[in-house]
């Protein structure tokens, strides 16, 4: 039997700590419960909203219908072939616990993605990325339930339309429910130290041999020094994407603002550091009621206590307008907004 909770407060289920209610909430631990919940929702014509760790979410109002919180657990090695090892995790597994488990097995590939909040099943949705690695770099496949066809099937990387903080799952919201995720790791270290502060921290260790566990620890230290821990100060990580602009626009901006960090992309466009733009505009550390801009990282909006979704969204809109006026650059929100 499914235990459906009516009028459930979602405050402890989103890292922004926003108190909004779900009309109905159900926790599902396996495929059978998931399918049961979906057929119940179909029967009553309840709209369905998926919830993983709630770490990339702004609750802007009550969520109608049925919120499905995925709590499936389990992780395993699927195959080993030479140095390549495929692992699999159920969608409800905690991401960082999965990273640690893979490191305990001596596997490499996830170390740069240490300490990212959220679940394994949510990782492909926004193609999580940090310190020079994106999920798509290690992605093998997902098993999904396709709500359009009613099938369970496997989607490989080429089907998932991965891009910067984007994927098929974000582009077609509600269609695919990720059941489990497969990642392609390596038994031989191949450290990715392209991100400047990580390279510096690695050099300072004086170690000669690559060691994924050490890289993971360094990544954790860098994250902890810049990014607020959601259990101490509620937030949803980077609130805006780093904007992509044409080479001409990047050059024009560099002329006016020589300090603006920008990174050339494979397609010739440039990615600008949104945190820098927001800091230059004077927003860093600012606060309006309980909604604020983090003191150490201007790309992170925080909830000091009782901010509501509308307070966070209002602050975000004011920042977007200001950045457009000052720099002619549009900032796109990163988290998903529910309850509008
Ligand atoms: N910067 C500032 N002021 C700030 C923040 C940043 O000047 O307040 C400058 C930094 O000095 C640096 C540049 O902006 O030159 C980039 O900053 P940082 O390396 O901290 O990374 P980011 O671009 O702000 C992105 C990701 C993070 C990820 C880091 C490290 C996005 C939207 N965010 O942040 O991801 O951890 O790179 O790889 O791409 C997340 O998605 O939630 C997230 C935290």
């Amino acid at each position: 039997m499914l235990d459906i909770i009516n009028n459930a407060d979602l405050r402890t289920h989103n890292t922004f700590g926003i108190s909004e209610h779900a009309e109905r909430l159900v926790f599902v631990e396996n495929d059978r419960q998931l399918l049961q919940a979906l057929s119940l929702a179909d029967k009553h014509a309840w709209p369905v909203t998926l919830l993983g760790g709630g770490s990339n979410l702004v609750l802007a109002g009550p969520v109608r219908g049925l919120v499905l919180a995925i709590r499936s657990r389990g992780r395993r090695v699927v195959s080993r072939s030479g140095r390549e090892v495929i692992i699999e995790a159920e969608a409800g597994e905690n991401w960082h616990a999965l990273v640690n488990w893979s490191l305990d097995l001596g596997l490499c590939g996830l170390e740069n993605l240490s300490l990212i909040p959220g679940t394994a099943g949510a990782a492909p949705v926004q193609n999580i990325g940090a310190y020079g690695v994106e999920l798509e770099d290690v992605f093998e496949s997902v098993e999904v339930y396709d709500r359009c066809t009613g099938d369970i099937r496997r989607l490989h990387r080429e089907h998932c339309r991965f891009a910067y903080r984007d994927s098929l799952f974000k582009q077609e919201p509600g269609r695919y429910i990720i059941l489990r995720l497969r990642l392609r790791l390596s038994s031989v270290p191949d450290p990715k130290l392209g991100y400047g502060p990580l390279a510096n921290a690695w050099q300072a260790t004086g170690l000669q041999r690559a060691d994924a566990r050490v890289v993971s620890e360094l990544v954790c230290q860098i994250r902890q020094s810049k990014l607020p821990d959601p259990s101490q100060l509620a937030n949803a990580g980077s609130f805006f994407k780093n904007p992509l602009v044409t080479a001409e626009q990047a050059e024009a901006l560099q002329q006016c603002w020589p300090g603006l960090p920008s990174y050339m992309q494979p397609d010739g466009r440039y990615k600008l550091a949104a945190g820098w733009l927001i800091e230059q505009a004077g927003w860093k550390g600012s606060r309006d009621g309980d909604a604020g801009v983090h003191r150490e990282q201007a790309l992170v909006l925080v909830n000091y206590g009782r901010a509501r979704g509308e307070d966070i969204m209002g602050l975000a809109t004011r920042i977007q307008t200001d950045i457009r006026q000052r720099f002619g650059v549009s900032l796109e929100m990163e988290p998903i907004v529910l309850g509008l």
Side-chain angles (χ1 to χ4, degrees), residues 259-293:
L260 168 61
S262 67
Y263 316 93
M264 198 170 108
Q265 302 301 295
D267 64 4
R269 290 187 295 172
Y270 281 76
K271 194 188 265 181
L272 307 178
W276 189 94
L277 298 173
I278 298 169
E279 179 174 348
Q280 291 301 308
W283 291 95
K284 194 170 181 171
S286 69
R287 179 171 173 171
D288 186 358
D290 272 351
V293 180

Side-chain angles (χ1 to χ4, degrees), residues 70-83:
I70 311 283
R71 293 293 181 270
S72 50
R73 305 302 298 269
R75 52 203 183 193
R76 56 201 74 91
V77 172
V78 174
S79 66
R80 288 178 185 266
S81 158
R83 56 176 59 181

Side-chain angles (χ1 to χ4, degrees), residues 40-330:
L40 198 65
D42 282 348
K43 192 168 128 196
H44 294 283
W46 296 331
V48 171
T49 302
L50 289 181
L51 183 68
S55 58
N56 197 43
L57 198 61
V58 181
L59 290 172
V63 187
R64 286 194 47 244
L66 180 65
V67 172
L68 261 173
I70 311 283
R71 293 293 181 270
S72 50
R73 305 302 298 269
R75 52 203 183 193
R76 56 201 74 91
V77 172
V78 174
S79 66
R80 288 178 185 266
S81 158
R83 56 176 59 181
E84 186 180 287
V85 182
I86 308 280
I87 64 163
E88 182 173 70
E90 297 299 308
E93 280 288 326
N94 174 271
W95 175 261
H96 181 62
L98 178 67
V99 173
N100 271 331
W101 173 79
S102 74
L103 291 168
D104 287 343
L105 292 177
L107 301 178
C108 311
L110 300 184
E111 54 275 17
N112 294 45
L113 302 176
S114 298
L115 217 58
I116 296 182
T119 56
V125 177
Q126 55 151 341
N127 187 19
I128 58 170
Y131 310 108
V133 174
E134 289 184 320
L135 184 85
E136 63 176 302
D137 303 332
V138 288
F139 182 89
E140 202 272 334
S141 63
V142 275
E143 208 169 353
V144 296
Y145 176 72
D146 181 343
R147 293 191 68 207
C148 282
T149 61
D151 294 335
I152 290 185
R153 55 199 173 97
R154 184 167 297 284
L155 297 177
H156 288 90
R157 180 178 148 153
E158 58 276 19
H159 298 120
C160 296
R161 294 192 221 141
F162 286 122
Y164 169 56
R165 293 297 191 276
D166 197 18
S167 73
L168 169 70
F169 314 107
K170 221 171 169 179
Q171 292 157 17
E172 293 190 32
R175 173 160 181 187
Y176 299 104
I177 299 180
I178 295 174
L179 305 174
R180 50 195 63 83
L181 164 71
R182 286 190 179 181
L183 301 171
R184 189 183 297 272
L185 305 184
S186 170
S187 56
V188 180
D190 177 21
K192 303 282 185 294
L193 300 170
Y195 179 83
L198 182 57
N200 297 340
W202 170 260
Q203 277 210 326
T205 65
L207 290 170
Q208 300 299 320
R209 275 190 48 219
D211 183 327
R213 175 63 79 182
V214 174
V215 173
S216 166
E217 280 162 14
L218 297 174
V219 165
C220 290
Q221 283 167 20
I222 295 173
R223 279 190 84 88
Q224 281 161 342
S225 72
K226 286 192 185 176
L227 295 167
D229 175 349
S231 69
Q232 310 290 321
L233 180 56
N235 74 90
S238 297
F239 197 88
F240 300 104
K241 291 187 192 180
N242 284 323
L244 290 164
V245 300
T246 62
E248 296 74 45
Q249 200 180 353
E251 202 187 322
L253 282 163
Q254 292 279 355
Q255 300 253 324
C256 297
W257 311 90
L260 168 61
S262 67
Y263 316 93
M264 198 170 108
Q265 302 301 295
D267 64 4
R269 290 187 295 172
Y270 281 76
K271 194 188 265 181
L272 307 178
W276 189 94
L277 298 173
I278 298 169
E279 179 174 348
Q280 291 301 308
W283 291 95
K284 194 170 181 171
S286 69
R287 179 171 173 171
D288 186 358
D290 272 351
V293 180
H294 187 49
R295 286 196 189 87
E296 311 294 331
Q297 227 301 3
L299 205 46
V300 177
L301 300 194
V302 295
N303 174 7
Y304 285 103
R306 292 175 170 269
R308 304 194 60 87
E310 65 206 56
D311 304 322
I312 302 284
M313 296 296 283
L315 176 61
T317 306
R318 290 193 291 283
I319 293 173
Q320 284 170 316
T321 306
D322 189 32
I323 298 302
R324 202 174 302 116
Q325 283 169 355
R326 282 175 198 263
F327 303 102
V329 173
S330 294

Side-chain angles (χ1 to χ4, degrees), residues 27-40:
F27 295 94
V28 294
E29 293 180 2
N30 51 46
D31 295 3
R32 189 178 48 79
Q33 288 183 351
L34 175 83
L35 295 179
Q36 250 182 336
L38 288 172
S39 81
L40 198 65

